[in-house]
Amino acid sequence: MSDPFNVRYVAQLARLDLSDAEIEKFQSQLGQVLAHVEQLGRVDVSKVEPTAHANAVANVFRKDESRPGFTQDAALSNAPRSANGLIVVPKVIE
Amino acid sequence: MSLTSLSISALQEKLRAREASPVEALDALESRIAAVDPSIHGYLSRDYAAARALAEKADVNLPLGGVPIAIKDVINVIGEPCTCASKILLGYKSTYDATVISRLRAAGAIPFGRCNMDEFAMGSSTENSAFGRSCNPWDLARVPGGSSGGSAAVVAADEAYASLGSDTGGSIRQPAALCGIVGLKPTYGRVSRYGLVAFASSLDQIGPFTKTVRDAGLLLNAIAGRDPQDSTSLDVPTEDATALLGRDLKGVKLGMPKEYFISGIDPQVDASIRAAIAKYESLGAEIVEVSLPHTEHAVSVYYVIATAEASANLARFDGVRYGHRAATDNLLEMYGRSRAEGFGPEVKRRIILGTYVLSSGYYDAYYLRAQKVRTLIRDDFTKAFEKVDAIICPTTPEPAFLAGDRTDDPLKMYLADIFTIACNLAGTCGLSLPCGFANESGKQLPIGLQLIGQPWKEARLLQIAHAYEQATDWHKARPAL
């Protein structure tokens, strides 16, 4: 884990526009947190299965039936911009 | 004595004897809130009109009939704000009830008031709220804990009869400890999270803050059970969580994990916990030393897994469907700037950390490795529970700390959760209850005793907690406000 941790690059992956001041601050603060986390490297996990969550349940299915859901009005009621029953966003394709 | 100082059970007695009405119970809250909330700042919003309409037709014979319950501002209640204490959700209005809210309503309770919290439940002090910190009712200069600090403070300050919070790494138990009340995190899968704004989905549970252990059982009874809307909620037969209250502790074994009794614990906390353990022995419980050998890794595992899951869960806040949208004509810029303008510093920090540990080349070294160490932590508990009914330890290493003390040191803040995190990683149930006071510069600060129970054994956990509560007076103490 010797590669540099680069906040500027990670922020792009996260679609989060950080200021230069934030980048500098997080670089040092999270560097300390990561240094603490490095201790996990000492644990022998060679024969251990990962735990994704506490209860070993998988493939919880329900019947493929229609159920009541949100009305269009309710679903759009918190949209920053909407028109004609649709959410309006900036143009994607030139 | 004002109605608002009553527990749920005591209030219900009055309501059922017609000595008070649900509207009076609500009015009493309104005046208490007006008197003390300007100093506590436990509430972000309150909707008296909606609550009064429900109080007027409340059926007091229902399990929680006519009892107002305050709700952490991360759980959706139809028609109410749900800001998660974030600017990004300012103006948002819920279009549906979370399952816990529908269940509270079915039990006759009245969801009332939105409690302050750390933004998106990320924090241990409620200082990360975008709308100002909440204050500890025992010393206003100190934090109430977090992330459900508002939910804890309003109950401790008698400006709520009880409340709901959420616990991802201690966010119910830690503030309950620092505010001197009862806080219960149910077993993972016991309570539906449908309608809870997700932080770390493999860890989050909703649970109650109450003035007594019995009340915690009453609230758990109302909200527990399988819900098709949350596929992680399990179809485990729902027991009556209050069924074992009042039974004695003969034959009950409590485990003292040696890794939790370490140097660095505040001496007053250490003394109170040891006195509580002695009390348990005098009540007939057998105390056994147990070992949870991977304890030292819990905080690291948690901050990898929780931030990874949070970075994915918070991807939905992109300015498209709800929440703040930055003014720009460029779509990519809209995502990046809406998030930058809407999220506060701690949320940004965790998104960065979580994105990093999931990113190509680092997934195996951080995320996958953390999930494997999580298995070891879980196995520690499974082994301990072969020997004991519950684990007994401090909820926090120290009483409430001063506001501003840790805001610039994330690692130090994260270590405040050192005793509560493993319970979430293991997925089991745990609670905190008052067990004494520390004296800090003339102020009495509550100390919390943590009991961690076997998975799905909340009734047993509450029985063990109740026996101690009934044998002591700590839960009767109230802050001078």
Side-chain angles (χ1 to χ4, degrees):
Chain A
M1 299 186 221
S2 57
D3 256 28
F5 161 60
N6 183 335
V7 171
R8 194 177 296 276
Y9 171 67
V10 177
Q12 282 170 18
L13 295 179
R15 298 260 182 261
L16 187 59
D17 290 359
L18 298 181
S19 68
D20 287 345
E22 284 174 318
I23 288 170
E24 200 183 319
K25 194 170 185 184
F26 292 175
Q27 189 76 50
S28 115
Q29 289 176 331
L30 292 177
Q32 285 171 35
V33 174
L34 285 169
H36 185 83
V37 166
E38 295 291 325
Q39 61 162 254
L40 295 181
R42 301 201 313 263
V43 186
D44 179 7
V45 291
S46 53
K47 292 185 186 114
V48 182
E49 291 294 317
T51 294
H53 72 89
N55 298 318
V57 289
N59 299 337
V60 179
F61 295 117
R62 61 167 171 81
K63 287 201 175 116
D64 186 18
E65 290 168 342
S66 67
R67 299 179 290 179
F70 294 126
T71 62
Q72 192 181 43
D73 280 350
L76 291 171
S77 63
N78 284 297
R81 267 190 79 190
S82 64
N84 306 323
L86 301 166
I87 291 169
V88 178
V89 294
K91 195 160 66 171
V92 183
I93 299 162
E94 292 302 324
Chain B
M1 195 163 91
S2 158
L3 282 179
T4 65
S5 61
L6 298 176
S7 65
I8 293 178
S9 319
L11 175 66
Q12 281 186 306
E13 275 180 33
K14 284 200 183 295
L15 295 178
R16 288 174 184 161
R18 312 285 171 202
E19 289 166 21
S21 72
V23 171
E24 284 166 351
L26 190 66
D27 287 346
L29 276 187
E30 188 169 0
S31 14
R32 178 69 178 170
I33 289 167
V36 301
D37 209 54
S39 356
I40 304 291
H41 192 232
Y43 285 102
L44 290 177
S45 61
R46 299 170 293 270
D47 188 342
Y48 291 112
R52 188 159 287 116
L54 293 171
E56 278 164 4
K57 52 177 191 178
D59 175 358
V60 297
N61 291 314
L62 287 169
L64 295 172
V67 179
I69 306 289
I71 310 293
K72 185 177 184 180
D73 204 25
V74 70
I75 298 170
N76 281 277
V77 173
I78 192 164
E80 300 299 327
C82 185
T83 67
C84 303
S86 180
K87 279 193 294 185
I88 209 162
L89 280 171
L90 203 57
Y92 176 89
K93 206 167 245 194
S94 297
T95 52
Y96 68 109
D97 274 340
T99 298
V100 291
I101 300 301
S102 324
R103 290 192 173 165
L104 281 185
R105 292 190 200 279
I110 300 168
F112 167 71
R114 313 285 309 166
C115 296
N116 199 10
M117 54 185 280
D118 285 300
E119 184 177 359
F120 285 105
M122 296 178 183
S124 308
S125 67
T126 315
E127 290 170 287
N128 295 331
S129 167
F131 308 118
R133 74 178 186 95
S134 295
C135 302
N136 191 308
W138 294 88
D139 178 356
L140 300 177
R142 290 174 190 268
V143 303
S147 68
S148 315
S151 296
V154 296
V155 174
D158 285 334
E159 44 171 341
Y161 299 98
S163 64
L164 289 187
S166 61
D167 189 316
T168 304
S171 285
I172 290 175
R173 289 157 290 151
Q174 186 256 17
L178 302 195
C179 290
I181 56 170
V182 176
L184 169 68
K185 184 202 94 73
T187 306
Y188 185 80
R190 176 66 91 185
V191 178
S192 165
R193 290 97 45 87
Y194 177 70
L196 169 74
V197 179
F199 164 13
S201 304
S202 80
L203 303 164
D204 298 339
Q205 265 300 284
I206 296 171
F209 287 94
T210 54
K211 296 172 189 179
T212 66
V213 172
R214 177 176 296 275
D215 282 3
L218 292 176
L219 263 183
L220 181 64
N221 281 346
I223 62 176
R226 159 101 182 121
D227 171 20
Q229 302 272 50
D230 176 359
S231 60
T232 66
S233 67
L234 291 198
D235 203 2
V236 173
T238 315
E239 55 185 351
D240 174 2
T242 64
L244 304 179
L245 298 187
R247 291 204 195 171
D248 67 31
L249 297 182
K250 284 195 188 67
V252 168
K253 286 186 183 172
L254 299 178
M256 256 178 95
K258 57 181 182 205
E259 294 81 4
Y260 283 56
F261 290 85
I262 46 171
S263 61
I265 300 184
D266 178 279
Q268 298 185 81
V269 171
D270 189 68
S272 287
I273 300 298
R274 288 180 192 278
I277 290 169
K279 186 74 178 176
Y280 267 108
E281 273 191 298
S282 78
L283 292 171
E286 187 187 338
I287 309 295
V288 185
E289 187 174 275
V290 293
S291 176
L292 301 168
H294 297 90
T295 296
E296 60 168 319
H297 301 301
V299 172
S300 293
V301 169
Y302 176 82
Y303 279 95
V304 171
I305 290 176
T307 59
E309 294 181 8
S311 73
N313 276 327
L314 296 189
R316 72 193 58 177
F317 298 100
D318 55 8
V320 175
R321 289 159 300 164
Y322 36 66
H324 172 71
R325 178 186 289 193
T328 165
D329 293 335
N330 179 290
L331 187 71
L332 283 186
E333 215 178 285
M334 186 188 92
Y335 295 149
R337 279 184 39 208
S338 298
R339 292 160 65 75
E341 292 165 10
F343 290 137
E346 181 61 19
V347 175
K348 289 178 181 175
R349 251 192 305 270
R350 295 205 194 185
I351 288 173
I352 295 296
L353 186 58
T355 304
Y356 176 67
V357 299
L358 289 177
S359 65
S360 173
Y362 300 97
Y363 180 93
D364 285 5
Y366 288 108
Y367 187 63
L368 189 62
R369 177 168 282 271
Q371 286 190 316
K372 288 180 176 176
V373 181
R374 180 176 182 182
T375 304
L376 297 172
I377 290 169
R378 199 162 168 242
D379 291 348
D380 287 352
F381 279 89
T382 308
K383 283 189 196 116
F385 286 138
E386 286 168 5
K387 291 202 285 184
V388 297
D389 298 286
I391 285 162
I392 186 165
C393 59
T395 310
T396 63
E398 294 163 308
F401 48 90
L402 288 164
D405 223 18
R406 299 182 183 181
T407 35
D408 265 338
D409 190 345
L411 185 57
K412 198 173 171 203
M413 187 74 94
Y414 297 172
L415 291 170
D417 301 334
I418 192 160
F419 295 143
T420 48
I421 274 175
C423 171
N424 300 75
L425 294 170
T428 193
C429 54
L431 67 73
S432 180
L433 78 162
C435 74
F437 289 91
N439 201 313
E440 293 286 343
S441 27
K443 303 268 186 180
Q444 295 279 97
L445 302 177
I447 295 170
L449 175 70
Q450 182 175 219
L451 296 164
I452 303 174
Q454 297 180 359
W456 309 105
K457 304 284 190 194
E458 282 88 352
R460 173 72 71 189
L461 183 69
L462 292 171
Q463 174 207 346
I464 295 168
H466 184 255
Y468 175 83
E469 178 192 63
Q470 295 305 305
T472 57
D473 282 331
W474 307 115
H475 65 290
K476 295 177 185 160
R478 286 288 192 281
L481 280 167

